[in-house]
Amino acid sequence: MFKLPNLDLDFNKTIEKEIPESLIKEYFPDEILKALFYQALSVDIMDNNARAEIIKYICEPYGFDELGTGTNRIGLLKNNFVFKVALDRRGIVDNFTEFKRSAEMPRFLAKSYETNMLILCQQYVNVMDQEQFIYNEPVIKDMLSQISSAFIFDDIGFTVKNSANYGYIETPEGDEIRILDYGYLYPLTLENKTELFRCPRCGAKLEWDRNYTRFECNNPKCRLQVPPHRIIQKMANHYDKLEMETMEMLNGFKLPDLINIESTI
């Protein structure tokens, strides 16, 4: 179980009882964890929407309400905490990635409190509607500008289809914007940025477009457009590998091989 140290869990002051050592262990009995783990790794059901329906059926008697289903995870709510349950291997990776990224950008990202990779326990954030999203364009683009200095990302650029990925929390100083799903943040640390952002057509520099949804060549005679995933595929991921090794050392065990993870069932 991965946990972030010294986090203030009383972010909305709605939970008066003492916080247990692990909310995941408190709310998910072992037999439920086994069932959810089996669903995430099962090859019998290929449709993640069908998997989500099964997970809702399993968890509903334990007081969980559905928040919504994404591509690889389903969001459940209990006692004002969000629990993101992986629907497949990609969901497991996303949970671990969000847990790692959370402490790096607390002003921009919804807090992640703990994870066993199958489930991520996270701060509840009020989801923006499209009108709120558009109204906050300058603030959101400023956030993306700052994030882009250290990360490549996907699915959080300023486009209406990503509006549900943004929300806000209430603080004494006023509402603050937070990104809800950030499993597709890739650190640029230790990457060769010159080669990474070189236009494959003319060799000029690739730069984010004004909405942070794709890259464009800065050569006026070229202007090639490149989606983020094409650049992500070129990354060496040295920093990510270093993070994994550090996590293994600090927690005293080796992280699972997600390719052959069925052998752990």
Side-chain angles (χ1 to χ4, degrees), residues 89-182:
R89 291 170 183 78
R90 179 66 236 190
I92 292 173
V93 172
D94 289 351
N95 279 342
F96 188 47
T97 299
E98 288 193 5
F99 177 79
K100 292 187 295 180
R101 300 282 86 85
S102 174
E104 296 177 348
M105 291 182 287
R107 293 191 301 114
F108 298 152
L109 309 178
K111 291 181 182 178
S112 293
Y113 298 125
E114 61 173 316
T115 188
N116 59 5
M117 299 181 72
L118 173 67
I119 300 169
L120 175 69
C121 177
Q122 203 168 71
Q123 172 186 28
Y124 177 76
V125 177
N126 300 293
V127 180
M128 285 185 179
D129 58 33
Q130 290 187 4
E131 184 177 352
Q132 291 172 315
F133 178 74
I134 294 171
Y135 178 78
N136 284 283
E137 178 179 358
V139 180
I140 292 172
K141 285 187 174 179
D142 181 63
M143 292 170 58
L144 293 172
S145 174
Q146 295 184 56
I147 295 172
S148 68
S149 66
F151 296 90
I152 292 180
F153 46 79
D154 209 351
D155 289 346
I156 62 172
F158 191 80
T159 176
V160 172
K161 75 179 183 67
N162 291 337
S163 60
N165 206 5
Y166 284 84
Y168 61 92
I169 61 170
E170 298 173 3
T171 73
E173 292 76 28
D175 295 343
E176 295 184 0
I177 297 175
R178 295 290 186 271
I179 299 172
L180 307 181
D181 292 309
Y182 44 93

